[in-house]
Amino acid sequence: MSVPPRAVQLNEANAFLKDHPEVLYVDLLIADMNGVVRGKRIERTSLHKVYEKGINLPASLFALDINGSTVESTGLGLDIGDADRICYPIPDTLCNEPWQKRPTAQLLMTMHELEGEPFFADPREVLRQVVSKFDDLGLTICAAFELEFYLIDQENVNGRPQPPRSPISGKRPHSTQVYLIDDLDEYVDCLQDILEGAKEQGIPADAIVKESAPAQFEVNLHHVADPIKACDYAVLLKRLIKNIAYDHEMDTTFMAKPYPGQAGNGLHVHISILDKDGKNIFASEDPEQNAALRHAIGGVLETLPAQMAFLCPNVNSYRRFGAQFYVPNSPCWGLDNRTVAIRVPTGAADSVRIEHRVAGADANPYLLMASVLAGVHHGLTNKIEPNAPVEGNSYEQNEQSLPNNLRDALRELDDSEVMAKYIDPKYIDIFVACKESELEEFEHSISDLEYNWYLHTV
């Protein structure tokens, strides 16, 4: 991927600054391995320099654990002198931040080597490498995310979250009430500001629904014919939701499982594929008879165990799984069936697609998309046939077989020959090193439950 011509980028900057003379600052954003947005804030007068020359950030930005500490075993820290790489703007991502009191804009960046080549450890580049394999086949990916999150109170109880008081009734929600319109009304100002803020930023968020837990909601993004752009939107939407909630004196969490006994936060992705003529290759009156659809599903299901570390990248991710919460725990598929890993929604023949239902909202969208598309490409090019679609409750028909903890998921990824064909093994090594470091720290901690169970009993 070459860096866009400077003249084109400068025209973008000039037009924006002319249209927005009120803007004082610009946030330069880049998403790390965990999908956490990092970067720099500059004054508007420095924006042209960013477009002309980029900005320097250390390569170790992509070797940070969830707490923002460099994991030295990745080799991207002290081993290379914590050296800088150069970050360039991503075209068409310059927009306002509607929540800021001081007028501020934002701009997405991507990291490159000093010579100009994309930096291999940028998750956006990891995804681009996979997408390029579809480009070689003359195929275009259409993709859209569904993002779940909780509104939570800004004050925790003993370090644990609690639902926020409704600005309307003053009460804290306690019941499930999935799809309840009244719960949307309880937080209507915040939720509407999220949709309006998304529109202002060009993020195609077209609906919010009440999900199946107190103050849990889902935002649906409209599909776009660019999977990298779809991921950009998901990253920016999370940032928007967090900041709009702050404006309403609430907090948010995208933690996979913030409450025991309640539904977790998922990140479902819908995928269809267009041929050179713009036709959906999955289109069919009878999806089971569509060979391309079957092969794509077959590849995803075959690689699903090796995908799990990218889909569920944290210790907490695996607490989300359970039949009562519609989180699939085995590689299976079905037509309009929400108990399976890969659901094929029924409807118009030309809108047939796959819905990947495994990942948590704590996943990095770029790595999630890269792993799923790797499975799709693997299935299409090797004509992999899946098992028969599941009818009815898959939990009663299939035993749990996917990795149910982070350590096993990392082993599956590390050992996968198929994933290594799609995702640079050097990057897999970095990812595994970071997550093993987090896991080691977690396993050396002592939980309150351990004290309750063992302190005075053994």
Side-chain angles (χ1 to χ4, degrees):
M1 178 179 66
S2 60
V3 179
R6 294 288 169 263
V8 174
Q9 294 209 15
L10 284 173
N11 288 341
E12 179 179 299
N14 288 334
F16 183 86
L17 293 175
K18 181 180 179 181
D19 291 342
H20 299 280
E22 78 283 359
V23 166
L24 301 175
Y25 306 100
V26 182
D27 289 340
L28 308 177
L29 311 176
I30 192 164
D32 72 5
M33 176 182 290
N34 290 293
V36 176
V37 175
R38 305 185 186 275
K40 294 181 178 181
R41 176 169 293 169
I42 62 170
E43 294 184 342
R44 67 176 283 141
T45 53
S46 298
L47 184 61
H48 286 99
K49 183 179 178 181
V50 171
Y51 274 90
E52 290 174 347
K53 299 182 179 180
I55 61 165
N56 288 338
L57 286 171
S60 59
L61 185 146
F62 295 117
L64 301 179
D65 64 16
I66 195 64
N67 293 311
S69 299
T70 301
V71 178
E72 292 297 340
S73 57
T74 62
L76 293 182
L78 297 178
D79 285 355
I80 60 171
D82 203 22
D84 281 340
R85 297 297 186 271
I86 191 164
C87 300
Y88 291 112
I90 297 170
D92 302 320
T93 62
L94 182 59
C95 63
N96 280 327
E97 296 178 346
W99 60 85
Q100 296 283 7
K101 293 180 180 178
R102 295 177 178 84
T104 304
Q106 67 182 32
L107 178 63
L108 270 181
M109 312 290 287
T110 185
M111 187 174 284
H112 293 251
E113 298 284 1
L114 298 180
E115 295 78 16
E117 287 300 308
F119 185 54
F120 81 98
D122 185 335
R124 203 173 188 274
E125 172 62 14
V126 172
L127 172 57
R128 193 193 68 81
Q129 291 288 346
V130 178
V131 172
S132 69
K133 296 182 181 297
F134 289 88
D135 296 338
D136 294 341
L137 299 177
L139 299 175
T140 299
I141 305 296
C142 280
F145 285 101
E146 297 173 352
L147 177 63
E148 294 175 344
F149 67 96
Y150 278 91
L151 291 174
I152 59 175
D153 202 291
Q154 289 185 327
E155 293 187 6
N156 295 331
V157 178
N158 298 322
R160 296 176 181 268
Q162 61 178 339
R165 293 190 183 278
S166 161
I168 305 298
S169 67
K171 299 177 181 177
R172 298 189 195 279
H174 295 289
S175 58
T176 298
Q177 302 296 0
V178 64
Y179 301 125
L180 186 69
I181 292 293
D182 288 351
D183 276 15
L184 295 178
D185 290 339
E186 294 284 356
Y187 301 97
V188 63
D189 288 341
C190 178
L191 299 177
Q192 284 303 119
D193 281 353
I194 288 171
L195 287 180
E196 291 172 11
K199 183 178 181 180
E200 183 176 345
Q201 291 198 316
I203 299 171
D206 57 11
I208 291 183
V209 297
K210 172 66 177 65
E211 270 298 334
S212 53
Q216 187 190 32
F217 300 93
E218 176 185 274
V219 178
N220 301 144
L221 289 166
H222 197 264
H223 68 273
V224 291
D226 182 343
I228 303 176
K229 196 75 173 175
C231 295
D232 291 343
Y233 289 142
V235 167
L236 295 177
L237 179 62
K238 288 179 74 170
R239 186 167 185 260
L240 173 76
I241 290 171
K242 290 179 180 181
N243 283 286
I244 294 295
Y246 292 150
D247 275 356
H248 289 268
E249 298 183 346
M250 290 183 283
D251 207 341
T252 55
T253 183
F254 297 89
M255 185 177 179
K257 187 74 168 181
Y259 297 111
Q262 297 287 358
N265 287 319
L267 181 59
H268 298 172
V269 60
H270 294 248
I271 293 173
S272 56
I273 301 178
L274 307 180
D275 64 16
K276 294 178 181 178
D277 298 320
K279 296 180 180 179
N280 180 8
I281 69 171
F282 294 159
S284 178
E285 294 289 347
D286 183 358
E288 286 188 66
Q289 301 306 312
N290 184 300
L293 177 65
R294 293 197 316 272
H295 296 156
I297 292 171
V300 172
L301 296 181
E302 184 175 284
T303 57
L304 192 50
Q307 296 175 20
M308 286 295 287
F310 288 140
L311 309 178
C312 302
N314 301 304
V315 174
N316 177 260
S317 306
Y318 297 86
R319 305 195 191 284
R320 177 174 148 263
F321 288 79
Q324 71 272 36
F325 300 121
Y326 292 93
V327 184
N329 56 19
S330 64
C332 56
W333 74 287
L335 303 177
D336 200 18
N337 187 336
R338 287 185 168 85
T339 71
V340 297
I342 303 298
R343 171 179 173 253
V344 178
T346 55
D350 60 355
S351 64
V352 173
R353 61 195 183 277
I354 62 175
E355 178 190 4
H356 195 291
R357 298 177 52 81
V358 181
D362 56 338
N364 180 315
Y366 302 106
L367 300 180
L368 157 60
M369 185 73 77
S371 59
V372 173
L373 292 183
V376 171
H377 189 276
H378 174 64
L380 289 175
T381 54
N382 291 281
K383 294 181 168 49
I384 297 173
E385 290 287 347
N387 292 329
V390 174
E391 296 182 8
N393 189 344
S394 72
Y395 303 104
E396 294 178 350
Q397 301 175 51
N398 297 289
E399 293 185 2
Q400 183 273 324
S401 59
L402 293 173
N404 63 2
N405 63 83
L406 182 56
R407 188 172 295 284
D408 286 346
L410 292 172
R411 287 180 182 138
E412 289 277 2
L413 173 61
D414 211 18
D415 293 342
S416 174
E417 295 180 2
V418 173
M419 294 301 285
K421 293 178 181 178
Y422 290 91
I423 296 176
D424 190 334
K426 291 189 300 180
Y427 184 77
I428 292 176
D429 288 346
I430 288 171
F431 181 88
V432 171
C434 282
K435 291 302 168 182
E436 284 184 340
S437 175
E438 291 178 12
L439 188 57
E440 182 178 0
E441 184 174 348
F442 177 85
E443 290 177 341
H444 280 84
S445 67
I446 302 175
S447 67
D448 290 343
L449 187 60
E450 289 175 86
Y451 286 119
N452 291 338
W453 279 9
Y454 307 124
L455 187 62
H456 297 296
T457 57
V458 295

